[in-house]
Amino acid sequence: MKLHPFNESFAWRSTQANNGHTFLSAAQIEQFDRDGYCLVENAFSSETLATLTAAIDPHEQQGTDFLRTQPDESFFIAQADAITFTVHLVARNEVCRQFTRHDSLLGVTGDLIGDNVSMYWDQAVYKKPEPNRDFPWHQDNGYAYVEPQQYLTCWVPLTDATLDNGCPWVAPGVHRVGTLEHTVGPFGLTCLDSFDDAIPVEAPAGSIVVFSSLTPHRTGPNRTDQVRKSYIVQYAPTGSIIRNSADPSDRTAASDPKRQYEVLRHGIAVA
Ligand SMILES: O=C(O)CCC(=O)C(=O)O
């Protein structure tokens, strides 16, 4: 395990320091601090999930149709019959955009980030029946280097996520050292080959697997005959930037109004 070259002076900001927790329990906050993740059950109604899934499915189908036109039906780490990534849905679908302002998500982000929160990224990940393909160990901050390094991923299962169909696994405790160096593997960037004390997080539809951008995670193969669907929404402190190179002044503000809009300002929901 080696640190990312940009990660020179990281200190984990304890969530216990946030004032006014209103949504998560003390046990969830303690687990997030210690292990880098927590599970929030019953966060969404079945109607909300059905509406969200119906909104996402046509976009995913369009992406799959595009992949079928590509060599090996693949593009970067997506493959039509294995795994698809449908990104930036908030910029093209109002149901997805409204979902990112759901009370449960604002509750989680308010407790774990603070009073001023913006969307950073969203993508649906559909893992198709594929018994041989892992999504390898990585930190979300390994893909694009955001500062502050510590932002939040809400991994929302649209179908039950189980050991059999590729639920997330986390490497507890590693988030506290900050961003790790990642290398390029066949199925994406990776920061760990294996992790002895890895924890699988089986998550029913309607829950949220909440983890830090610094929590190494992977998902296993899908050994069932059904598609495992998830929608991933990531939130960062408002004012976050993305480092483009080793030169710290070479940076881009994470504030594209189409998709990186504020959701909480001074603790109040931004409509
Ligand atoms: O949902 C998955 O199977 C993996 C997705 C993931 O870890 C990611 O997009 O960072």
Side-chain angles (χ1 to χ4, degrees):
M1 217 163 49
K2 211 169 145 194
L3 294 185
H4 189 288
F6 300 173
N7 177 12
E8 288 172 337
S9 58
F10 178 75
W12 173 256
R13 189 179 68 95
S14 169
T15 346
Q16 306 292 358
N18 279 354
N19 293 322
H21 301 133
T22 54
F23 186 78
L24 296 172
S25 68
Q28 284 169 320
I29 290 172
E30 194 184 312
Q31 184 183 27
F32 180 80
D33 249 358
R34 185 189 59 234
D35 298 335
Y37 82 100
C38 64
L39 177 67
V40 179
E41 293 194 79
N42 302 314
F44 310 110
S45 68
S46 48
E47 291 76 24
T48 298
L49 278 195
T51 306
L52 181 63
T53 307
I56 295 173
D57 279 351
H59 294 283
E60 195 278 338
Q61 185 59 53
Q62 211 178 16
T64 298
D65 293 345
F66 164 76
L67 287 171
R68 296 216 186 280
T69 68
Q70 299 302 298
D72 296 330
E73 302 196 340
S74 315
F75 188 77
F76 186 40
I77 55 176
Q79 215 264 325
D81 289 321
I83 190 166
T84 62
F85 301 84
T86 313
V87 302
H88 305 332
L89 285 161
V90 296
R92 35 197 180 125
N93 189 287
E94 196 50 33
V95 171
C96 295
R97 199 173 179 99
Q98 284 311 321
F99 179 74
T100 64
R101 298 192 170 100
H102 190 284
D103 284 349
S104 295
L105 292 166
L106 296 189
V108 169
T109 57
D111 284 359
L112 297 181
I113 297 178
D115 282 350
N116 296 295
V117 179
S118 293
M119 273 297 293
Y120 167 62
W121 189 273
D122 72 299
Q123 62 184 20
V125 183
Y126 281 21
K127 195 175 264 252
K128 317 265 173 98
E130 222 295 9
N132 299 314
R133 184 189 278 238
D134 256 40
F135 193 80
W137 285 110
H138 67 284
Q139 296 167 308
D140 289 334
N141 212 42
Y143 271 81
Y145 194 94
V146 173
E147 281 178 341
Q149 296 176 45
Q150 194 174 334
Y151 65 92
L152 202 65
T153 294
C154 293
W155 193 95
V156 176
L158 304 175
T159 52
D160 293 347
T162 65
L163 277 170
D164 267 0
N165 71 6
C167 71
W169 291 67
V170 298
V174 180
H175 57 292
R176 288 178 160 268
V177 304
T179 312
L180 299 173
E181 186 174 70
H182 284 63
T183 54
V184 185
F187 300 134
L189 298 183
T190 184
C191 59
L192 299 171
D193 292 333
S194 60
F195 193 82
D196 282 350
D197 300 317
I199 300 174
V201 190
E202 292 195 291
S207 65
I208 316 173
V209 185
V210 180
F211 49 85
S212 167
S213 55
L214 300 172
T215 306
H217 57 284
R218 65 177 274 271
T219 58
N222 182 354
R223 299 198 175 91
T224 70
D225 57 7
Q226 301 293 314
V227 181
R228 191 233 63 199
K229 301 181 179 183
S230 63
Y231 185 45
I232 296 172
V233 279
Q234 297 179 319
Y235 299 90
T238 298
S240 295
I241 60 97
I242 302 156
R243 288 270 298 269
N244 300 317
S245 72
D247 171 0
S249 67
D250 180 12
R251 52 177 56 196
T252 306
S255 58
D256 178 343
K258 290 195 291 297
R259 59 185 184 82
Q260 294 173 320
Y261 44 85
E262 289 180 277
V263 295
L264 279 181
R265 189 188 305 150
H266 308 311
I268 310 285
V270 179

